[in-house]
Amino acid sequence: MTLHGDVGSNGLGAGVEMAPSGSIWSHATQIAAGRFNATTYVTDLMVRWSDGELSLFTNVGAGTLGQEYKLKDPNSTWKEATLLTSGQFSGNQKWDLMVRWDSGELDNYVGTTTGGLGGEQRIHGPNKTWTHSVIMTTGQFTSDGLTNDLMIRWTDGETTMYQDTRMNSLGTERMISPPA
């Protein structure tokens, strides 16, 4: 696993090896950066492991994975978590964890911290359309000042942004690029 800091218009820049090939990190199935513990910078990593365990690493930086907090023991339910992202869906400084499950269900865990997952807020239940989402990330692309614009890439190549997504509802849908 490699960390590329200060990615910009000049590319990825030099990388720092965070974990060698063949390490336990080969079992990391999903990784999402966020601000679950940090107050200013996005220096935390949420990791869903292949056995269904969920870990939060705080104060991650070049050459250090910081402190690990186990949020969920290995379990079959979290093996079904297909995509993870994080953002300010509740509008708070600390971020929330959004999970797309293999059934297409979309849930938000509001107020996730080192102490555990926050309260579950259902965005929508099982949904066949959402099983076709293959990449999910969040950014700050609109003027509300929050990192709550959900970006989805679908299996047909379409990319959609849900502007100003909230803790229990998707934001305004906007196609960014059409299907291939």
Side-chain angles (χ1 to χ4, degrees), residues 17-168:
E17 184 178 271
M18 300 294 285
S21 177
S23 73
I24 189 71
W25 283 87
S26 66
H27 297 283
T29 304
Q30 295 289 321
I31 299 175
R35 194 168 63 208
F36 302 100
N37 188 54
T39 55
T40 306
Y41 300 106
V42 179
T43 59
D44 303 327
L45 286 181
M46 188 68 68
V47 180
R48 203 265 295 166
W49 302 94
S50 58
D51 63 2
E53 181 179 324
L54 189 67
S55 297
L56 173 60
F57 290 81
T58 61
N59 302 312
V60 175
T64 179
L65 289 165
Q67 175 71 38
E68 179 182 7
Y69 298 87
K70 185 188 297 187
L71 302 186
K72 287 284 184 187
D73 287 327
N75 67 84
S76 59
T77 299
W78 277 84
K79 283 184 177 183
E80 297 173 5
T82 305
L83 300 173
L84 303 178
T85 192
S86 62
Q88 294 174 286
F89 307 114
S90 60
N92 297 324
Q93 183 181 17
K94 302 291 177 155
W95 290 13
D96 311 307
L97 177 67
M98 187 175 290
V99 179
R100 200 275 276 166
W101 301 92
D102 64 357
S103 67
E105 181 178 314
L106 192 61
D107 293 323
N108 192 18
Y109 293 87
V110 178
T112 295
T113 67
T114 57
L117 283 174
E120 181 180 331
Q121 290 286 316
R122 172 91 15 100
I123 295 175
H124 61 70
N127 183 309
K128 288 186 185 238
T129 299
W130 277 78
T131 63
H132 296 281
S133 58
V134 292
I135 299 173
M136 181 170 75
T137 192
T138 311
Q140 184 178 333
F141 305 114
T142 60
S143 61
D144 72 350
L146 298 172
T147 305
N148 65 353
D149 302 311
L150 182 66
M151 299 288 283
I152 302 291
R153 190 174 76 58
W154 304 92
T155 54
D156 65 2
E158 178 180 332
T159 301
T160 306
M161 177 169 59
Y162 295 91
Q163 295 177 220
D164 305 331
T165 294
R166 299 295 180 218
M167 68 178 158
N168 58 2

